[in-house]
């Protein structure tokens, strides 16, 4: 019932930030969320990063040396 007179009360002006400032704030918030999600459930995040780097380095080395025969040979008879 009291909604009839809402248009007579002064409304606070909502100031919208500059698009560049807003974009930067959104980017910072996204990075923060991503870091929190990456660290969730990990006791030692530095150890996890080292393991991932080691795994990536091993994959790069394997690609550099080319495909292998797998190391197993099948002989019949």
């Amino acid at each position: 019932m009291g909604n009839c007179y809402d248009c007579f009360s002064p409304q606070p002006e909502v100031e919208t930030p500059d698009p560049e400032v807003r974009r930067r704030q959104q980017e910072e918030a996204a990075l923060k969320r991503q870091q929190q999600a990456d660290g969730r459930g990990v006791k030692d995040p530095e150890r996890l990063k080292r393991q991932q780097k080691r795994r990536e380095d091993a994959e790069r080395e394997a690609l550099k040396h080319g495909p292998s025969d797998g190391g197993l040979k099948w002989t019949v008879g």
Side-chain angles (χ1 to χ4, degrees):
M1 290 195 117
N3 292 347
C4 298
Y5 300 106
D6 282 343
C7 60
F8 294 121
S9 64
Q11 299 292 324
E13 290 186 28
V14 178
E15 186 176 321
T16 57
D18 183 35
E20 182 64 28
V21 172
R22 186 171 181 184
R23 185 194 62 77
R24 191 171 358 102
Q25 290 173 341
Q26 288 175 335
E27 182 181 6
E28 290 170 358
L31 287 173
K32 185 178 178 182
R33 282 192 308 270
Q34 186 177 12
Q35 288 173 347
Q36 289 175 346
D38 288 345
R40 186 170 291 140
V42 177
K43 291 182 181 179
D44 189 4
E46 291 300 318
R47 179 178 174 210
L48 179 64
K49 288 179 185 177
R50 287 192 306 267
Q51 287 176 340
Q52 288 174 343
K53 183 167 175 31
R54 235 181 275 134
R55 192 175 304 127
E56 289 172 0
D57 290 343
E59 288 176 6
R60 253 187 254 118
E61 285 295 321
L63 290 175
K64 193 184 297 183
H65 293 295
S68 65
D69 293 333
L72 299 176
K73 294 185 180 182
W74 186 271
T75 57
V76 178

